Amino acid sequence: EVQLVESGGDLIQPGGSLRLSCAASGFTVSSSYMSWVRQAPGKGLEWVSAIYSGGLTLYADSVKGRFIISRDNSKNTMFLQMNSLRADDTALYFCARESWQKGYSSGWFSWGQGTLVTVSA
Amino acid sequence: QSVLTQPPSASGTPGQRVTISCSGTSSNIGSNTVNWYQQLPGTAPKLLISSNNQRPSGVPDRFSGSKSGTSASLAISGLQSEDEADYYCAAWDDSLSGPQVVFGGGTKLTVL
């Protein structure tokens, strides 16, 4: 069964760091297109970062220079290292698996349940 | 302010047909595919329409998508109470600062 399970969310002070994990089962993270998508309380969806099978990493302007996406192939897990956290980073963070066809995105077809990050003093 | 523009709300009665629009620019919808997501309260989003107009396995044929130029739309026919949810459009954007995914602000669909 294909499954994504996020963990690592916590209450953290502004300026602090946190690492989120996304453990995958039923498929191989290293050969997949994976993303982090977040949702602030009561707000819409916001793409955060992506890591592709070839190692390419992409970031939203709002997190560029502060967040780092990575993966551990031996653990079949994706990570999001979040540094210099701000109040507006408070959100439920989802990991998701994306499909591509003929060079175009077919969307995120598999999602985790999310992990909550709260940035507050 | 979201890059893609959706109406914040939509409504209809059971059995009706409703459409939700999504407006973008040449750097996102105009040059990439649009995907639609349905988010029921308290749950993770679910892929509803992929690649502009494709229904993933398990999605009822009441849901359909289309794209023309820099706009896209989601149509729901034969509206049912379980369709009450938030709907989001998304597309990759070929921005100058690097490829990024952009979302619409979401449309809250109410079944009256």
Side-chain angles (χ1 to χ4, degrees):
Chain A
E1 180 192 2
V2 172
Q3 197 173 13
L4 294 168
V5 178
E6 302 94 335
S7 61
D10 205 349
L11 171 62
I12 189 83
Q13 291 190 339
S17 297
L18 202 59
R19 189 175 84 154
L20 305 183
S21 300
C22 171
S25 56
F27 71 98
T28 303
V29 166
S30 63
S31 58
S32 301
Y33 303 96
M34 303 292 297
S35 278
W36 288 97
V37 177
R38 68 185 180 184
Q39 186 169 35
K43 303 297 184 182
L45 301 172
E46 180 188 16
W47 174 78
V48 174
S49 181
I51 184 166
Y52 286 170
S53 54
L56 174 69
T57 58
L58 300 168
Y59 299 92
D61 288 340
S62 58
V63 305
K64 205 170 288 184
R66 300 188 300 123
F67 290 10
I68 300 172
I69 192 171
S70 65
R71 66 190 180 209
D72 184 329
N73 297 342
S74 67
K75 295 180 179 178
N76 208 31
T77 299
M78 176 178 69
F79 302 99
L80 186 68
Q81 177 67 42
M82 310 165 66
N83 302 319
S84 303
L85 282 161
R86 312 184 305 219
D88 62 359
D89 293 317
T90 293
L92 186 62
Y93 284 73
F94 297 99
C95 64
R97 183 184 178 196
E98 185 178 15
S99 172
W100 285 74
Q101 295 179 356
K102 299 179 182 178
Y104 294 98
S105 172
S106 300
W108 296 296
F109 61 95
S110 185
W111 295 71
Q113 83 291 346
T115 187
L116 182 63
V117 174
T118 304
V119 184
S120 175
Chain B
Q1 187 82 6
S2 300
V3 175
L4 304 182
T5 301
Q6 294 179 238
S9 64
S11 63
T13 57
Q16 269 191 330
R17 181 178 189 269
V18 297
T19 61
I20 298 171
S21 61
C22 176
S23 177
T25 67
S26 59
S27 67
N28 41 65
I29 292 179
S31 51
N32 293 292
T33 52
V34 177
N35 301 302
W36 289 88
Y37 299 89
Q38 177 193 57
Q39 187 176 33
L40 298 171
T43 68
K46 168 191 170 184
L47 181 63
L48 192 66
I49 295 291
S50 73
S51 303
N52 305 324
N53 55 21
Q54 302 299 305
R55 279 188 309 276
S57 174
V59 174
D61 60 6
R62 303 185 294 105
F63 295 91
S64 62
S66 64
K67 183 184 114 169
S68 178
T70 59
S71 293
S73 65
L74 171 71
I76 309 171
S77 60
L79 199 61
Q80 298 181 5
S81 58
E82 56 260 41
D83 298 333
E84 191 160 286
D86 294 324
Y87 293 85
Y88 297 90
C89 59
W92 278 92
D93 188 297
D94 302 325
S95 94
L96 292 176
S97 57
Q100 304 189 33
V101 178
V102 291
F103 278 98
T107 299
K108 184 175 185 62
L109 175 64
T110 301
V111 181
L112 302 170

PDB file of all heavy atoms in Angstrom, chain A residues 5-27:
ATOM      1  N   VAL A   5       3.802   9.407   5.419  1.00  0.00           N
ATOM      2  CA  VAL A   5       3.565   9.759   6.816  1.00  0.00           C
ATOM      3  C   VAL A   5       4.541  10.853   7.222  1.00  0.00           C
ATOM      4  O   VAL A   5       5.763  10.633   7.271  1.00  0.00           O
ATOM      5  CB  VAL A   5       3.723   8.540   7.744  1.00  0.00           C
ATOM      6  CG1 VAL A   5       3.506   8.960   9.196  1.00  0.00           C
ATOM      7  CG2 VAL A   5       2.750   7.436   7.352  1.00  0.00           C
ATOM      8  N   GLU A   6       3.985  12.023   7.528  1.00  0.00           N
ATOM      9  CA  GLU A   6       4.807  13.149   7.960  1.00  0.00           C
ATOM     10  C   GLU A   6       4.986  13.127   9.479  1.00  0.00           C
ATOM     11  O   GLU A   6       4.128  12.629  10.218  1.00  0.00           O
ATOM     12  CB  GLU A   6       4.165  14.492   7.569  1.00  0.00           C
ATOM     13  CG  GLU A   6       3.901  14.704   6.098  1.00  0.00           C
ATOM     14  CD  GLU A   6       2.483  14.302   5.705  1.00  0.00           C
ATOM     15  OE1 GLU A   6       1.888  13.463   6.408  1.00  0.00           O
ATOM     16  OE2 GLU A   6       1.971  14.845   4.699  1.00  0.00           O
ATOM     17  N   SER A   7       6.095  13.692   9.920  1.00  0.00           N
ATOM     18  CA  SER A   7       6.345  13.834  11.357  1.00  0.00           C
ATOM     19  C   SER A   7       7.325  14.978  11.562  1.00  0.00           C
ATOM     20  O   SER A   7       7.932  15.481  10.605  1.00  0.00           O
ATOM     21  CB  SER A   7       6.903  12.538  11.943  1.00  0.00           C
ATOM     22  OG  SER A   7       8.135  12.202  11.334  1.00  0.00           O
ATOM     23  N   GLY A   8       7.465  15.384  12.817  1.00  0.00           N
ATOM     24  CA  GLY A   8       8.441  16.414  13.140  1.00  0.00           C
ATOM     25  C   GLY A   8       7.847  17.771  13.468  1.00  0.00           C
ATOM     26  O   GLY A   8       8.570  18.666  13.927  1.00  0.00           O
ATOM     27  N   GLY A   9       6.572  17.945  13.232  1.00  0.00           N
ATOM     28  CA  GLY A   9       5.953  19.225  13.540  1.00  0.00           C
ATOM     29  C   GLY A   9       5.972  19.510  15.038  1.00  0.00           C
ATOM     30  O   GLY A   9       5.925  18.586  15.847  1.00  0.00           O
ATOM     31  N   ASP A  10       6.049  20.784  15.389  1.00  0.00           N
ATOM     32  CA  ASP A  10       6.170  21.144  16.796  1.00  0.00           C
ATOM     33  C   ASP A  10       5.892  22.633  16.979  1.00  0.00           C
ATOM     34  O   ASP A  10       5.732  23.367  15.985  1.00  0.00           O
ATOM     35  CB  ASP A  10       7.583  20.809  17.293  1.00  0.00           C
ATOM     36  CG  ASP A  10       7.650  20.572  18.790  1.00  0.00           C
ATOM     37  OD1 ASP A  10       6.651  20.870  19.494  1.00  0.00           O
ATOM     38  OD2 ASP A  10       8.691  20.087  19.264  1.00  0.00           O
ATOM     39  N   LEU A  11       5.855  23.056  18.231  1.00  0.00           N
ATOM     40  CA  LEU A  11       5.793  24.473  18.578  1.00  0.00           C
ATOM     41  C   LEU A  11       7.235  24.960  18.713  1.00  0.00           C
ATOM     42  O   LEU A  11       8.020  24.388  19.476  1.00  0.00           O
ATOM     43  CB  LEU A  11       5.041  24.666  19.890  1.00  0.00           C
ATOM     44  CG  LEU A  11       5.079  26.070  20.510  1.00  0.00           C
ATOM     45  CD1 LEU A  11       4.428  27.086  19.587  1.00  0.00           C
ATOM     46  CD2 LEU A  11       4.396  26.056  21.871  1.00  0.00           C
ATOM     47  N   ILE A  12       7.583  25.983  17.950  1.00  0.00           N
ATOM     48  CA  ILE A  12       8.962  26.461  17.919  1.00  0.00           C
ATOM     49  C   ILE A  12       8.957  27.985  17.968  1.00  0.00           C
ATOM     50  O   ILE A  12       8.036  28.630  17.453  1.00  0.00           O
ATOM     51  CB  ILE A  12       9.676  25.940  16.647  1.00  0.00           C
ATOM     52  CG1 ILE A  12      11.168  26.238  16.673  1.00  0.00           C
ATOM     53  CG2 ILE A  12       9.017  26.477  15.406  1.00  0.00           C
ATOM     54  CD1 ILE A  12      11.949  25.252  17.436  1.00  0.00           C
ATOM     55  N   GLN A  13       9.984  28.546  18.593  1.00  0.00           N
ATOM     56  CA  GLN A  13      10.080  30.000  18.696  1.00  0.00           C
ATOM     57  C   GLN A  13      10.565  30.620  17.393  1.00  0.00           C
ATOM     58  O   GLN A  13      11.303  29.976  16.620  1.00  0.00           O
ATOM     59  CB  GLN A  13      11.047  30.379  19.817  1.00  0.00           C
ATOM     60  CG  GLN A  13      10.537  30.061  21.212  1.00  0.00           C
ATOM     61  CD  GLN A  13      11.401  30.663  22.298  1.00  0.00           C
ATOM     62  OE1 GLN A  13      12.566  30.982  22.070  1.00  0.00           O
ATOM     63  NE2 GLN A  13      10.820  30.840  23.475  1.00  0.00           N
ATOM     64  N   PRO A  14      10.172  31.860  17.132  1.00  0.00           N
ATOM     65  CA  PRO A  14      10.673  32.552  15.934  1.00  0.00           C
ATOM     66  C   PRO A  14      12.200  32.552  15.912  1.00  0.00           C
ATOM     67  O   PRO A  14      12.847  32.750  16.943  1.00  0.00           O
ATOM     68  CB  PRO A  14      10.128  33.973  16.102  1.00  0.00           C
ATOM     69  CG  PRO A  14       8.895  33.803  16.926  1.00  0.00           C
ATOM     70  CD  PRO A  14       9.210  32.695  17.887  1.00  0.00           C
ATOM     71  N   GLY A  15      12.745  32.306  14.728  1.00  0.00           N
ATOM     72  CA  GLY A  15      14.185  32.237  14.571  1.00  0.00           C
ATOM     73  C   GLY A  15      14.742  30.832  14.745  1.00  0.00           C
ATOM     74  O   GLY A  15      15.917  30.585  14.442  1.00  0.00           O
ATOM     75  N   GLY A  16      13.923  29.919  15.223  1.00  0.00           N
ATOM     76  CA  GLY A  16      14.369  28.561  15.473  1.00  0.00           C
ATOM     77  C   GLY A  16      14.393  27.692  14.228  1.00  0.00           C
ATOM     78  O   GLY A  16      14.064  28.143  13.118  1.00  0.00           O
ATOM     79  N   SER A  17      14.794  26.437  14.417  1.00  0.00           N
ATOM     80  CA  SER A  17      14.892  25.472  13.322  1.00  0.00           C
ATOM     81  C   SER A  17      14.104  24.218  13.646  1.00  0.00           C
ATOM     82  O   SER A  17      13.917  23.872  14.823  1.00  0.00           O
ATOM     83  CB  SER A  17      16.358  25.093  13.076  1.00  0.00           C
ATOM     84  OG  SER A  17      17.120  26.202  12.673  1.00  0.00           O
ATOM     85  N   LEU A  18      13.686  23.527  12.600  1.00  0.00           N
ATOM     86  CA  LEU A  18      12.899  22.311  12.751  1.00  0.00           C
ATOM     87  C   LEU A  18      13.125  21.457  11.518  1.00  0.00           C
ATOM     88  O   LEU A  18      13.318  21.995  10.415  1.00  0.00           O
ATOM     89  CB  LEU A  18      11.424  22.674  12.886  1.00  0.00           C
ATOM     90  CG  LEU A  18      10.454  21.705  13.549  1.00  0.00           C
ATOM     91  CD1 LEU A  18      10.879  21.412  14.982  1.00  0.00           C
ATOM     92  CD2 LEU A  18       9.046  22.296  13.532  1.00  0.00           C
ATOM     93  N   ARG A  19      13.129  20.147  11.681  1.00  0.00           N
ATOM     94  CA  ARG A  19      13.245  19.262  10.520  1.00  0.00           C
ATOM     95  C   ARG A  19      12.015  18.370  10.447  1.00  0.00           C
ATOM     96  O   ARG A  19      11.710  17.628  11.390  1.00  0.00           O
ATOM     97  CB  ARG A  19      14.509  18.404  10.588  1.00  0.00           C
ATOM     98  CG  ARG A  19      14.750  17.643   9.280  1.00  0.00           C
ATOM     99  CD  ARG A  19      16.060  16.865   9.271  1.00  0.00           C
ATOM    100  NE  ARG A  19      15.923  15.556   9.902  1.00  0.00           N
ATOM    101  CZ  ARG A  19      16.696  14.509   9.609  1.00  0.00           C
ATOM    102  NH1 ARG A  19      17.643  14.631   8.690  1.00  0.00           N
ATOM    103  NH2 ARG A  19      16.527  13.364  10.240  1.00  0.00           N
ATOM    104  N   LEU A  20      11.348  18.445   9.320  1.00  0.00           N
ATOM    105  CA  LEU A  20      10.199  17.592   9.071  1.00  0.00           C
ATOM    106  C   LEU A  20      10.628  16.360   8.285  1.00  0.00           C
ATOM    107  O   LEU A  20      11.550  16.431   7.470  1.00  0.00           O
ATOM    108  CB  LEU A  20       9.127  18.342   8.278  1.00  0.00           C
ATOM    109  CG  LEU A  20       8.634  19.671   8.861  1.00  0.00           C
ATOM    110  CD1 LEU A  20       7.525  20.238   7.977  1.00  0.00           C
ATOM    111  CD2 LEU A  20       8.193  19.511  10.289  1.00  0.00           C
ATOM    112  N   SER A  21       9.937  15.259   8.528  1.00  0.00           N
ATOM    113  CA  SER A  21      10.200  14.017   7.799  1.00  0.00           C
ATOM    114  C   SER A  21       8.936  13.545   7.100  1.00  0.00           C
ATOM    115  O   SER A  21       7.827  13.787   7.578  1.00  0.00           O
ATOM    116  CB  SER A  21      10.670  12.922   8.760  1.00  0.00           C
ATOM    117  OG  SER A  21      11.855  13.283   9.419  1.00  0.00           O
ATOM    118  N   CYS A  22       9.135  12.878   5.994  1.00  0.00           N
ATOM    119  CA  CYS A  22       8.038  12.278   5.235  1.00  0.00           C
ATOM    120  C   CYS A  22       8.490  10.865   4.882  1.00  0.00           C
ATOM    121  O   CYS A  22       9.284  10.664   3.956  1.00  0.00           O
ATOM    122  CB  CYS A  22       7.733  13.087   3.988  1.00  0.00           C
ATOM    123  SG  CYS A  22       6.566  12.292   2.841  1.00  0.00           S
ATOM    124  N   ALA A  23       7.989   9.893   5.636  1.00  0.00           N
ATOM    125  CA  ALA A  23       8.357   8.499   5.403  1.00  0.00           C
ATOM    126  C   ALA A  23       7.410   7.882   4.387  1.00  0.00           C
ATOM    127  O   ALA A  23       6.184   7.965   4.543  1.00  0.00           O
ATOM    128  CB  ALA A  23       8.303   7.722   6.705  1.00  0.00           C
ATOM    129  N   ALA A  24       7.986   7.280   3.355  1.00  0.00           N
ATOM    130  CA  ALA A  24       7.184   6.701   2.283  1.00  0.00           C
ATOM    131  C   ALA A  24       7.222   5.184   2.337  1.00  0.00           C
ATOM    132  O   ALA A  24       8.224   4.579   2.741  1.00  0.00           O
ATOM    133  CB  ALA A  24       7.701   7.178   0.930  1.00  0.00           C
ATOM    134  N   SER A  25       6.129   4.574   1.933  1.00  0.00           N
ATOM    135  CA  SER A  25       6.069   3.127   1.795  1.00  0.00           C
ATOM    136  C   SER A  25       5.274   2.792   0.546  1.00  0.00           C
ATOM    137  O   SER A  25       4.384   3.533   0.139  1.00  0.00           O
ATOM    138  CB  SER A  25       5.439   2.486   3.035  1.00  0.00           C
ATOM    139  OG  SER A  25       4.160   3.029   3.278  1.00  0.00           O
ATOM    140  N   GLY A  26       5.624   1.684  -0.060  1.00  0.00           N
ATOM    141  CA  GLY A  26       4.917   1.252  -1.258  1.00  0.00           C
ATOM    142  C   GLY A  26       5.482   1.776  -2.556  1.00  0.00           C
ATOM    143  O   GLY A  26       5.011   1.409  -3.631  1.00  0.00           O
ATOM    144  N   PHE A  27       6.477   2.643  -2.469  1.00  0.00           N
ATOM    145  CA  PHE A  27       7.146   3.166  -3.660  1.00  0.00           C
ATOM    146  C   PHE A  27       8.504   3.740  -3.224  1.00  0.00           C
ATOM    147  O   PHE A  27       8.792   3.841  -2.034  1.00  0.00           O
ATOM    148  CB  PHE A  27       6.313   4.253  -4.345  1.00  0.00           C
ATOM    149  CG  PHE A  27       6.227   5.553  -3.586  1.00  0.00           C
ATOM    150  CD1 PHE A  27       7.060   6.624  -3.902  1.00  0.00           C
ATOM    151  CD2 PHE A  27       5.332   5.704  -2.539  1.00  0.00           C
ATOM    152  CE1 PHE A  27       6.991   7.815  -3.195  1.00  0.00           C
ATOM    153  CE2 PHE A  27       5.261   6.884  -1.819  1.00  0.00           C
ATOM    154  CZ  PHE A  27       6.092   7.943  -2.147  1.00  0.00           C
TER     155      PHE A  27
END
